[in-house]
């Protein structure tokens, strides 16, 4: 079994910054891609950013230039640095990891609330 534990959410004013962290633990041989998704009330869960094991990144257009995803492979941890936050960034943020065991399986974190006030 694999657990993803997120931290770093909270309440911030527009223009501020937050840093999210997500640590994976458990029965892990290796991890392929790791990413962050978000879900606002009444909306679907959307990809925010993803990073491969080799460090290649991809971002949603709405966060390009403001958010930065990174990872520490030795710690099985992924980060999301969020700058110049906007009220429309308010959502529950989930991390995901494609974990290699006997097969590759995607695991999800429990979610962390990010609220940006105007």
């Amino acid at each position: 079994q694999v657990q993803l534990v997120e931290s770093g959410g909270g309440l911030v004013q527009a223009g501020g910054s937050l840093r999210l962290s997500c640590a994976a633990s458990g029965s892990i041989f290796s991890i392929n891609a790791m990413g962050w998704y978000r879900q606002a009330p009444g909306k679907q869960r959307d990809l925010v950013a993803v990073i491969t094991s080799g460090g290649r990144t991809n971002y949603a257009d709405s966060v390009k230039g403001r958010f930065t995803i990174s990872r520490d492979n030795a710690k099985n941890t992924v980060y999301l640095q969020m700058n110049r936050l906007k009220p429309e960034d308010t959502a529950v943020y989930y991390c995901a990891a494609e974990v290699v065991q006997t097969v590759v399986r995607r695991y999800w974190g429990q979610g962390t609330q990010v609220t940006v006030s105007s």
Side-chain angles (χ1 to χ4, degrees), residues 58-107:
N58 193 33
Y59 296 90
D61 288 342
S62 59
V63 306
K64 283 180 181 177
R66 301 187 298 122
F67 291 10
T68 302
I69 189 170
S70 61
R71 66 189 281 175
D72 184 333
N73 290 332
K75 296 181 179 180
N76 290 330
T77 299
V78 63
Y79 307 95
L80 186 68
Q81 178 66 44
M82 304 185 293
N83 298 328
R84 291 184 283 139
L85 282 159
K86 303 175 181 180
E88 51 263 44
D89 294 319
T90 296
V92 177
Y93 284 69
Y94 298 89
C95 72
E98 293 181 353
V99 178
V100 179
Q101 298 167 306
T102 54
V103 296
V104 178
R105 180 179 173 183
R106 176 176 291 186
Y107 289 88

Short mmCIF file of all heavy atoms in Angstrom, two decimals, residues 58-107:
data_model
loop_
_atom_site.label_atom_id
_atom_site.label_comp_id
_atom_site.label_asym_id
_atom_site.label_seq_id
_atom_site.Cartn_x
_atom_site.Cartn_y
_atom_site.Cartn_z
N ASN A 58 5.02 20.03 -17.10
CA ASN A 58 3.94 20.53 -17.94
C ASN A 58 2.95 21.23 -17.01
O ASN A 58 2.70 20.75 -15.89
CB ASN A 58 3.26 19.40 -18.71
CG ASN A 58 2.36 19.92 -19.80
OD1 ASN A 58 2.64 20.96 -20.40
ND2 ASN A 58 1.26 19.23 -20.07
N TYR A 59 2.40 22.35 -17.48
CA TYR A 59 1.52 23.16 -16.66
C TYR A 59 0.21 23.48 -17.38
O TYR A 59 0.19 23.61 -18.61
CB TYR A 59 2.19 24.49 -16.30
CG TYR A 59 3.42 24.38 -15.45
CD1 TYR A 59 4.68 24.26 -16.04
CD2 TYR A 59 3.34 24.39 -14.06
CE1 TYR A 59 5.83 24.14 -15.27
CE2 TYR A 59 4.49 24.28 -13.28
CZ TYR A 59 5.72 24.17 -13.89
OH TYR A 59 6.84 24.06 -13.12
N ALA A 60 -0.84 23.66 -16.61
CA ALA A 60 -2.06 24.22 -17.16
C ALA A 60 -1.78 25.66 -17.56
O ALA A 60 -1.01 26.37 -16.92
CB ALA A 60 -3.18 24.17 -16.12
N ASP A 61 -2.44 26.11 -18.62
CA ASP A 61 -2.20 27.47 -19.11
C ASP A 61 -2.49 28.51 -18.04
O ASP A 61 -1.82 29.55 -17.97
CB ASP A 61 -3.07 27.74 -20.34
CG ASP A 61 -2.59 27.00 -21.58
OD1 ASP A 61 -1.42 26.56 -21.59
OD2 ASP A 61 -3.39 26.85 -22.52
N SER A 62 -3.46 28.23 -17.19
CA SER A 62 -3.89 29.21 -16.20
C SER A 62 -2.86 29.46 -15.11
O SER A 62 -2.96 30.46 -14.38
CB SER A 62 -5.21 28.75 -15.56
OG SER A 62 -5.04 27.50 -14.93
N VAL A 63 -1.87 28.59 -14.98
CA VAL A 63 -0.88 28.75 -13.91
C VAL A 63 0.54 28.96 -14.43
O VAL A 63 1.46 29.18 -13.64
CB VAL A 63 -0.89 27.55 -12.94
CG1 VAL A 63 -2.30 27.30 -12.41
CG2 VAL A 63 -0.32 26.30 -13.58
N LYS A 64 0.72 28.89 -15.73
CA LYS A 64 2.05 29.08 -16.29
C LYS A 64 2.63 30.43 -15.89
O LYS A 64 1.94 31.45 -15.96
CB LYS A 64 2.01 28.96 -17.82
CG LYS A 64 1.89 27.54 -18.33
CD LYS A 64 1.85 27.50 -19.85
CE LYS A 64 1.72 26.08 -20.35
NZ LYS A 64 1.60 26.01 -21.83
N GLY A 65 3.88 30.41 -15.48
CA GLY A 65 4.54 31.64 -15.07
C GLY A 65 4.30 32.02 -13.62
O GLY A 65 4.96 32.92 -13.10
N ARG A 66 3.36 31.35 -12.95
CA ARG A 66 3.07 31.64 -11.55
C ARG A 66 3.39 30.46 -10.63
O ARG A 66 3.80 30.66 -9.49
CB ARG A 66 1.59 32.03 -11.38
CG ARG A 66 1.16 33.24 -12.17
CD ARG A 66 -0.25 33.67 -11.81
NE ARG A 66 -1.25 32.63 -12.12
CZ ARG A 66 -2.08 32.09 -11.22
NH1 ARG A 66 -2.03 32.48 -9.96
NH2 ARG A 66 -2.96 31.17 -11.59
N PHE A 67 3.15 29.25 -11.10
CA PHE A 67 3.37 28.04 -10.30
C PHE A 67 4.59 27.29 -10.82
O PHE A 67 4.88 27.29 -12.02
CB PHE A 67 2.17 27.10 -10.41
CG PHE A 67 0.91 27.59 -9.74
CD1 PHE A 67 0.79 28.88 -9.26
CD2 PHE A 67 -0.17 26.73 -9.59
CE1 PHE A 67 -0.37 29.32 -8.65
CE2 PHE A 67 -1.34 27.15 -8.98
CZ PHE A 67 -1.44 28.44 -8.52
N THR A 68 5.30 26.64 -9.90
CA THR A 68 6.45 25.82 -10.26
C THR A 68 6.36 24.49 -9.54
O THR A 68 6.24 24.44 -8.31
CB THR A 68 7.76 26.51 -9.87
OG1 THR A 68 7.85 27.79 -10.52
CG2 THR A 68 8.96 25.66 -10.30
N ILE A 69 6.43 23.42 -10.31
CA ILE A 69 6.43 22.07 -9.72
C ILE A 69 7.86 21.55 -9.68
O ILE A 69 8.65 21.80 -10.60
CB ILE A 69 5.50 21.12 -10.52
CG1 ILE A 69 5.34 19.79 -9.78
CG2 ILE A 69 6.01 20.91 -11.94
CD1 ILE A 69 4.26 18.89 -10.39
N SER A 70 8.19 20.85 -8.62
CA SER A 70 9.51 20.24 -8.49
C SER A 70 9.37 18.96 -7.68
O SER A 70 8.32 18.71 -7.08
CB SER A 70 10.49 21.21 -7.82
OG SER A 70 10.06 21.55 -6.52
N ARG A 71 10.43 18.16 -7.65
CA ARG A 71 10.37 16.92 -6.89
C ARG A 71 11.74 16.56 -6.37
O ARG A 71 12.77 16.94 -6.95
CB ARG A 71 9.76 15.78 -7.72
CG ARG A 71 10.60 15.37 -8.90
CD ARG A 71 9.84 14.39 -9.80
NE ARG A 71 9.83 13.04 -9.28
CZ ARG A 71 9.16 12.02 -9.82
NH1 ARG A 71 8.42 12.24 -10.91
NH2 ARG A 71 9.20 10.81 -9.29
N ASP A 72 11.72 15.80 -5.29
CA ASP A 72 12.94 15.23 -4.71
C ASP A 72 12.78 13.72 -4.80
O ASP A 72 12.04 13.13 -4.00
CB ASP A 72 13.10 15.70 -3.26
CG ASP A 72 14.39 15.23 -2.63
OD1 ASP A 72 14.93 14.19 -3.04
OD2 ASP A 72 14.86 15.91 -1.70
N ASN A 73 13.43 13.10 -5.76
CA ASN A 73 13.25 11.67 -5.98
C ASN A 73 13.73 10.84 -4.79
O ASN A 73 13.17 9.80 -4.49
CB ASN A 73 13.97 11.24 -7.25
CG ASN A 73 13.29 11.77 -8.50
OD1 ASN A 73 12.08 12.02 -8.51
ND2 ASN A 73 14.06 11.98 -9.55
N ALA A 74 14.76 11.30 -4.12
CA ALA A 74 15.28 10.56 -2.97
C ALA A 74 14.27 10.51 -1.83
O ALA A 74 14.26 9.57 -1.03
CB ALA A 74 16.58 11.18 -2.49
N LYS A 75 13.42 11.54 -1.75
CA LYS A 75 12.42 11.61 -0.69
C LYS A 75 11.02 11.25 -1.17
O LYS A 75 10.07 11.33 -0.40
CB LYS A 75 12.40 13.03 -0.10
CG LYS A 75 13.70 13.43 0.60
CD LYS A 75 13.58 14.84 1.17
CE LYS A 75 14.85 15.25 1.89
NZ LYS A 75 14.75 16.62 2.45
N ASN A 76 10.89 10.88 -2.45
CA ASN A 76 9.56 10.58 -3.03
C ASN A 76 8.57 11.71 -2.74
O ASN A 76 7.42 11.47 -2.36
CB ASN A 76 9.02 9.25 -2.49
CG ASN A 76 9.78 8.06 -3.01
OD1 ASN A 76 10.31 8.09 -4.13
ND2 ASN A 76 9.88 7.02 -2.21
N THR A 77 9.03 12.93 -2.91
CA THR A 77 8.23 14.09 -2.57
C THR A 77 8.13 15.04 -3.77
O THR A 77 9.11 15.25 -4.49
CB THR A 77 8.86 14.84 -1.38
OG1 THR A 77 8.89 13.96 -0.25
CG2 THR A 77 8.06 16.08 -1.02
N VAL A 78 6.93 15.59 -3.93
CA VAL A 78 6.69 16.57 -4.98
C VAL A 78 6.22 17.86 -4.32
O VAL A 78 5.55 17.83 -3.28
CB VAL A 78 5.66 16.06 -6.01
CG1 VAL A 78 4.29 15.82 -5.37
CG2 VAL A 78 5.56 16.99 -7.20
N TYR A 79 6.61 18.98 -4.91
CA TYR A 79 6.28 20.29 -4.38
C TYR A 79 5.56 21.12 -5.44
O TYR A 79 5.72 20.90 -6.64
CB TYR A 79 7.56 21.04 -3.97
CG TYR A 79 8.45 20.28 -3.03
CD1 TYR A 79 9.52 19.53 -3.51
CD2 TYR A 79 8.22 20.30 -1.66
CE1 TYR A 79 10.35 18.82 -2.66
CE2 TYR A 79 9.04 19.59 -0.79
CZ TYR A 79 10.10 18.86 -1.31
OH TYR A 79 10.91 18.15 -0.45
N LEU A 80 4.78 22.08 -4.97
CA LEU A 80 4.15 23.04 -5.86
C LEU A 80 4.30 24.42 -5.23
O LEU A 80 3.67 24.71 -4.22
CB LEU A 80 2.67 22.72 -6.10
CG LEU A 80 1.98 23.62 -7.14
CD1 LEU A 80 2.56 23.33 -8.54
CD2 LEU A 80 0.48 23.39 -7.15
N GLN A 81 5.16 25.23 -5.82
CA GLN A 81 5.33 26.60 -5.38
C GLN A 81 4.34 27.46 -6.15
O GLN A 81 4.38 27.50 -7.38
CB GLN A 81 6.76 27.08 -5.64
CG GLN A 81 7.01 28.54 -5.26
CD GLN A 81 6.90 28.78 -3.77
OE1 GLN A 81 7.39 28.00 -2.97
NE2 GLN A 81 6.22 29.86 -3.40
N MET A 82 3.47 28.14 -5.42
CA MET A 82 2.40 28.93 -6.03
C MET A 82 2.62 30.40 -5.68
O MET A 82 2.57 30.77 -4.51
CB MET A 82 1.03 28.46 -5.54
CG MET A 82 0.79 26.98 -5.77
SD MET A 82 -0.88 26.45 -5.32
CE MET A 82 -0.82 26.67 -3.54
N ASN A 83 2.90 31.21 -6.69
CA ASN A 83 3.11 32.63 -6.51
C ASN A 83 2.02 33.43 -7.20
O ASN A 83 1.32 32.92 -8.09
CB ASN A 83 4.48 33.03 -7.07
CG ASN A 83 5.63 32.34 -6.37
OD1 ASN A 83 5.56 32.05 -5.17
ND2 ASN A 83 6.69 32.06 -7.10
N ARG A 84 1.90 34.68 -6.82
CA ARG A 84 0.90 35.59 -7.42
C ARG A 84 -0.46 34.91 -7.48
O ARG A 84 -1.11 34.87 -8.54
CB ARG A 84 1.38 36.04 -8.80
CG ARG A 84 2.60 36.98 -8.72
CD ARG A 84 2.96 37.47 -10.10
NE ARG A 84 3.67 36.48 -10.88
CZ ARG A 84 3.47 36.25 -12.18
NH1 ARG A 84 2.55 36.91 -12.84
NH2 ARG A 84 4.19 35.35 -12.80
N LEU A 85 -0.88 34.39 -6.35
CA LEU A 85 -2.14 33.66 -6.30
C LEU A 85 -3.33 34.57 -6.57
O LEU A 85 -3.32 35.76 -6.23
CB LEU A 85 -2.29 32.98 -4.94
CG LEU A 85 -1.47 31.70 -4.80
CD1 LEU A 85 -1.24 31.36 -3.33
CD2 LEU A 85 -2.14 30.55 -5.53
N LYS A 86 -4.35 33.98 -7.18
CA LYS A 86 -5.56 34.70 -7.55
C LYS A 86 -6.76 34.02 -6.87
O LYS A 86 -6.71 32.82 -6.58
CB LYS A 86 -5.76 34.66 -9.07
CG LYS A 86 -4.61 35.22 -9.88
CD LYS A 86 -4.86 35.03 -11.36
CE LYS A 86 -3.70 35.56 -12.20
NZ LYS A 86 -3.95 35.37 -13.66
N PRO A 87 -7.84 34.74 -6.67
CA PRO A 87 -9.04 34.10 -6.08
C PRO A 87 -9.49 32.87 -6.86
O PRO A 87 -9.98 31.90 -6.26
CB PRO A 87 -10.08 35.22 -6.12
CG PRO A 87 -9.27 36.46 -6.00
CD PRO A 87 -8.02 36.20 -6.80
N GLU A 88 -9.31 32.89 -8.17
CA GLU A 88 -9.74 31.74 -8.98
C GLU A 88 -8.84 30.51 -8.79
O GLU A 88 -9.15 29.44 -9.32
CB GLU A 88 -9.82 32.11 -10.46
CG GLU A 88 -8.58 32.78 -11.01
CD GLU A 88 -8.71 34.30 -11.02
OE1 GLU A 88 -9.20 34.88 -10.02
OE2 GLU A 88 -8.30 34.91 -12.03
N ASP A 89 -7.76 30.65 -8.05
CA ASP A 89 -6.93 29.49 -7.70
C ASP A 89 -7.51 28.74 -6.50
O ASP A 89 -7.01 27.66 -6.14
CB ASP A 89 -5.51 29.92 -7.37
CG ASP A 89 -4.77 30.50 -8.56
OD1 ASP A 89 -4.91 29.94 -9.67
OD2 ASP A 89 -4.05 31.51 -8.39
N THR A 90 -8.55 29.27 -5.87
CA THR A 90 -9.17 28.63 -4.72
C THR A 90 -9.74 27.27 -5.11
O THR A 90 -10.51 27.16 -6.07
CB THR A 90 -10.28 29.51 -4.15
OG1 THR A 90 -9.70 30.72 -3.64
CG2 THR A 90 -11.02 28.79 -3.04
N ALA A 91 -9.32 26.24 -4.40
CA ALA A 91 -9.74 24.87 -4.70
C ALA A 91 -9.12 23.92 -3.68
O ALA A 91 -8.27 24.32 -2.88
CB ALA A 91 -9.29 24.46 -6.11
N VAL A 92 -9.56 22.68 -3.73
CA VAL A 92 -8.86 21.61 -3.03
C VAL A 92 -7.79 21.07 -3.98
O VAL A 92 -8.10 20.74 -5.13
CB VAL A 92 -9.80 20.48 -2.59
CG1 VAL A 92 -9.01 19.37 -1.92
CG2 VAL A 92 -10.88 21.03 -1.65
N TYR A 93 -6.56 21.03 -3.52
CA TYR A 93 -5.45 20.57 -4.33
C TYR A 93 -5.09 19.14 -3.94
O TYR A 93 -4.91 18.84 -2.75
CB TYR A 93 -4.25 21.49 -4.15
CG TYR A 93 -4.40 22.80 -4.90
CD1 TYR A 93 -5.35 23.75 -4.51
CD2 TYR A 93 -3.63 23.08 -6.03
CE1 TYR A 93 -5.51 24.94 -5.21
CE2 TYR A 93 -3.78 24.27 -6.73
CZ TYR A 93 -4.72 25.19 -6.31
OH TYR A 93 -4.87 26.36 -7.01
N TYR A 94 -4.98 18.29 -4.94
CA TYR A 94 -4.65 16.88 -4.74
C TYR A 94 -3.34 16.56 -5.43
O TYR A 94 -3.11 16.98 -6.57
CB TYR A 94 -5.73 15.98 -5.33
CG TYR A 94 -7.10 16.14 -4.73
CD1 TYR A 94 -8.01 17.07 -5.24
CD2 TYR A 94 -7.51 15.35 -3.65
CE1 TYR A 94 -9.28 17.21 -4.69
CE2 TYR A 94 -8.77 15.48 -3.10
CZ TYR A 94 -9.64 16.40 -3.63
OH TYR A 94 -10.90 16.53 -3.08
N CYS A 95 -2.50 15.80 -4.77
CA CYS A 95 -1.33 15.28 -5.47
C CYS A 95 -1.62 13.87 -5.95
O CYS A 95 -2.47 13.17 -5.39
CB CYS A 95 -0.08 15.32 -4.61
SG CYS A 95 -0.01 14.13 -3.28
N ALA A 96 -0.92 13.48 -6.98
CA ALA A 96 -1.05 12.14 -7.55
C ALA A 96 0.33 11.63 -7.92
O ALA A 96 1.21 12.41 -8.29
CB ALA A 96 -1.96 12.17 -8.78
N ALA A 97 0.49 10.32 -7.83
CA ALA A 97 1.76 9.70 -8.18
C ALA A 97 1.52 8.40 -8.91
O ALA A 97 0.67 7.60 -8.49
CB ALA A 97 2.60 9.47 -6.93
N GLU A 98 2.27 8.18 -9.96
CA GLU A 98 2.22 6.92 -10.69
C GLU A 98 3.32 6.03 -10.12
O GLU A 98 4.50 6.18 -10.44
CB GLU A 98 2.41 7.14 -12.18
CG GLU A 98 1.26 7.90 -12.82
CD GLU A 98 1.42 8.10 -14.31
OE1 GLU A 98 2.49 7.77 -14.84
OE2 GLU A 98 0.48 8.60 -14.95
N VAL A 99 2.92 5.11 -9.26
CA VAL A 99 3.86 4.31 -8.49
C VAL A 99 4.10 2.98 -9.17
O VAL A 99 3.15 2.28 -9.55
CB VAL A 99 3.34 4.08 -7.06
CG1 VAL A 99 4.31 3.20 -6.27
CG2 VAL A 99 3.15 5.42 -6.35
N VAL A 100 5.37 2.62 -9.32
CA VAL A 100 5.74 1.35 -9.90
C VAL A 100 5.87 0.32 -8.78
O VAL A 100 6.71 0.46 -7.89
CB VAL A 100 7.07 1.45 -10.68
CG1 VAL A 100 7.45 0.10 -11.26
CG2 VAL A 100 6.96 2.50 -11.78
N GLN A 101 5.00 -0.68 -8.83
CA GLN A 101 5.11 -1.82 -7.91
C GLN A 101 5.27 -3.05 -8.80
O GLN A 101 6.22 -3.10 -9.59
CB GLN A 101 3.87 -1.87 -7.02
CG GLN A 101 3.73 -0.60 -6.16
CD GLN A 101 2.37 -0.45 -5.50
OE1 GLN A 101 1.35 -0.50 -6.18
NE2 GLN A 101 2.37 -0.26 -4.20
N THR A 102 4.39 -4.01 -8.75
CA THR A 102 4.42 -5.08 -9.76
C THR A 102 3.77 -4.57 -11.04
O THR A 102 4.06 -5.05 -12.13
CB THR A 102 3.68 -6.32 -9.25
OG1 THR A 102 2.37 -5.94 -8.83
CG2 THR A 102 4.44 -6.92 -8.06
N VAL A 103 2.88 -3.61 -10.89
CA VAL A 103 2.30 -2.87 -12.01
C VAL A 103 2.41 -1.39 -11.67
O VAL A 103 2.75 -1.03 -10.55
CB VAL A 103 0.82 -3.26 -12.25
CG1 VAL A 103 0.71 -4.72 -12.67
CG2 VAL A 103 0.00 -2.99 -11.00
N VAL A 104 2.08 -0.54 -12.62
CA VAL A 104 2.06 0.90 -12.37
C VAL A 104 0.65 1.28 -11.97
O VAL A 104 -0.31 0.96 -12.67
CB VAL A 104 2.50 1.69 -13.61
CG1 VAL A 104 2.43 3.19 -13.33
CG2 VAL A 104 3.91 1.28 -14.01
N ARG A 105 0.54 1.97 -10.85
CA ARG A 105 -0.78 2.35 -10.34
C ARG A 105 -0.74 3.79 -9.87
O ARG A 105 0.25 4.22 -9.27
CB ARG A 105 -1.17 1.42 -9.19
CG ARG A 105 -2.52 1.73 -8.58
CD ARG A 105 -2.84 0.75 -7.47
NE ARG A 105 -4.06 1.12 -6.76
CZ ARG A 105 -4.53 0.48 -5.70
NH1 ARG A 105 -3.89 -0.57 -5.24
NH2 ARG A 105 -5.64 0.87 -5.13
N ARG A 106 -1.82 4.52 -10.10
CA ARG A 106 -1.90 5.91 -9.66
C ARG A 106 -2.51 5.97 -8.26
O ARG A 106 -3.54 5.37 -7.99
CB ARG A 106 -2.74 6.75 -10.62
CG ARG A 106 -2.94 8.19 -10.15
CD ARG A 106 -3.67 9.03 -11.15
NE ARG A 106 -2.86 9.27 -12.34
CZ ARG A 106 -3.23 10.08 -13.32
NH1 ARG A 106 -4.40 10.70 -13.27
NH2 ARG A 106 -2.46 10.24 -14.37
N TYR A 107 -1.85 6.70 -7.40
CA TYR A 107 -2.34 6.95 -6.05
C TYR A 107 -2.63 8.44 -5.90
O TYR A 107 -1.98 9.28 -6.54
CB TYR A 107 -1.32 6.51 -5.00
CG TYR A 107 -1.19 5.02 -4.88
CD1 TYR A 107 -0.30 4.31 -5.67
CD2 TYR A 107 -1.96 4.31 -3.96
CE1 TYR A 107 -0.17 2.94 -5.56
CE2 TYR A 107 -1.83 2.94 -3.84
CZ TYR A 107 -0.94 2.27 -4.65
OH TYR A 107 -0.82 0.90 -4.53
#
